[in-house]
Amino acid sequence: MFTDSGCSGCLVRHISCFDTLSKVELELLDKGKIITFYKKGQVVFHEGRVPTGLFCLKSGKVKISKIGCDGKGQIVRIVLSGGLLGIRSFLAGRYYMSTATTLEDSLVCFIDRPVFSNITTRNPLISHCIMTTLCNLLKEAEEKMTSLAQKQVRERLAETLLILDNIYKSQDNQIEDTGISLSREDLANIVGTATETVIRLLKEFKNENIIYTNGRKIHLKDVESLKKIARHF
C-alpha cells in the first residue's frame, strides 16, 4: 500500500518537468493522473505498443531496453525518480521503440494525452524542459555510440561503473558509496557484451583492488584507476 500526497507534495517534482506548475495546474494534473505501483521486474510499457500518454517516475528505478536483431535485449538507459518514460514515442506519435521495466519497486504516474496537452498549453515552460530532456537523451546516445565504437569491453565496463555509481548516489542523495545494485546480466546489457565477460572483468577489478562486492552490490574502491581504464569520464 502507498499514500499519494498529490503533485504539490511530490518529493521529486522539483527535479521534474512539472516543477513550474501553478497551484491550479497541479490540481488539474492530480485529477487527471493515474498512479500505479509496480513490483521489481514488472513492465511499465512494451516495445511496439502505441503510447496513449506519458509516464513520470515518482519513485524507484526503471531500465529502458531495446531488442536487437539477434533477439537479445540492450539496456539503453536507466531512468531515476522524477524522470519521464516513453517521451520520444509519445511526442512523435509512434510505437514504443523500447520496453520499460522496473529495477526495483516503483511508483509510476500516467498522464494521458488530453491532460498533458491541456497543461502544456497553459504552461509553455514544460515544453522547454522536455526539449532540454530530449537534447540530453540525444547527447547520451551519441556518447554511447562513440564508446561502443572506440573502446574495448574493459574500458566500457569501467566507464559504466563510474556512470552507475553517480546514478545510484544521485538517486539516494548521498555522497558516500551506496553500491551499484544491478544484475550481472543487466550490467552486461548496458556495456554491450556477454554476461560471462562482465563476470570475468569484475573479478579482475576485484583482484586489482579497484572494486569490492557485497552480494550482488558493486562498490567502487579506486575511482581514479577506473577513470584511467575508461580513458575518459
Side-chain angles (χ1 to χ4, degrees):
M1 294 292 293
F2 63 89
T3 56
D4 181 18
S5 58
C7 293
S8 59
C10 179
L11 297 177
V12 296
R13 184 169 63 86
H14 69 286
I15 57 172
S16 76
C17 283
F18 303 105
D19 185 38
T20 60
L21 293 184
S22 66
K23 182 178 179 181
V24 173
E25 291 160 354
L26 286 171
E27 290 174 354
L28 290 173
L29 186 59
D30 262 330
K31 292 178 182 178
K33 80 173 191 296
I34 299 173
I35 184 168
T36 305
F37 171 77
Y38 291 85
K39 290 184 178 180
K40 176 183 176 180
Q42 282 191 300
V43 174
V44 180
F45 58 77
H46 287 274
E47 183 175 346
R49 299 287 178 83
V50 179
T52 58
L54 184 66
F55 295 92
C56 183
L57 185 57
K58 182 178 178 68
S59 67
K61 296 183 184 72
V62 172
K63 64 178 179 181
I64 307 298
S65 57
K66 186 172 178 60
I67 302 299
C69 55
D70 57 357
K72 296 181 180 180
Q74 173 72 51
I75 298 177
V76 294
R77 67 187 176 100
I78 293 177
V79 181
L80 305 178
S81 300
L84 299 175
L85 306 170
I87 181 66
R88 289 182 299 169
S89 298
F90 171 69
L91 293 178
R94 300 177 178 175
Y95 295 103
Y96 285 121
M97 300 171 65
S98 55
T99 297
T101 310
T102 56
L103 287 169
E104 60 189 38
D105 291 353
S106 304
L107 289 174
V108 183
C109 297
F110 175 76
I111 307 160
D112 66 23
R113 192 177 296 276
V115 172
F116 181 77
S117 297
N118 182 21
I119 291 175
T120 51
T121 298
R122 298 172 64 101
N123 193 329
L125 289 176
I126 296 179
S127 297
H128 180 269
C129 177
I130 289 175
M131 285 180 61
T132 301
T133 299
L134 292 173
C135 288
N136 289 334
L137 291 178
L138 179 59
K139 178 177 178 289
E140 290 175 11
E142 290 173 343
E143 291 174 347
K144 180 74 172 180
M145 289 175 60
T146 302
S147 179
L148 287 171
Q150 299 181 357
K151 295 187 177 183
Q152 301 297 320
V153 178
R154 179 179 166 90
E155 296 169 337
R156 297 205 304 270
L157 176 58
E159 182 179 65
T160 299
L161 290 176
L162 290 165
I163 293 171
L164 289 174
D165 185 58
N166 275 346
I167 286 175
Y168 276 78
K169 283 180 180 177
S170 65
Q171 172 77 10
D172 299 326
N173 294 316
Q174 295 184 23
I175 298 176
E176 65 270 18
D177 180 17
T178 56
I180 301 167
S181 181
L182 204 63
S183 72
R184 302 303 182 257
E185 182 181 2
D186 282 342
L187 184 55
N189 285 339
I190 296 174
V191 175
T193 189
T195 305
E196 295 77 10
T197 302
V198 161
I199 293 173
R200 175 177 58 80
L201 290 173
L202 287 176
K203 186 176 181 180
E204 288 181 8
F205 287 165
K206 286 176 66 177
N207 291 338
E208 294 168 21
N209 213 27
I210 295 174
I211 66 168
Y212 71 95
T213 58
N214 181 13
R216 194 178 70 171
K217 280 193 173 185
I218 301 171
H219 301 263
L220 306 192
K221 200 171 183 180
D222 189 345
V223 172
E224 291 306 315
S225 290
L226 275 178
K227 289 181 179 180
K228 289 179 181 178
I229 295 170
R231 285 195 292 157
H232 171 72
F233 180 66

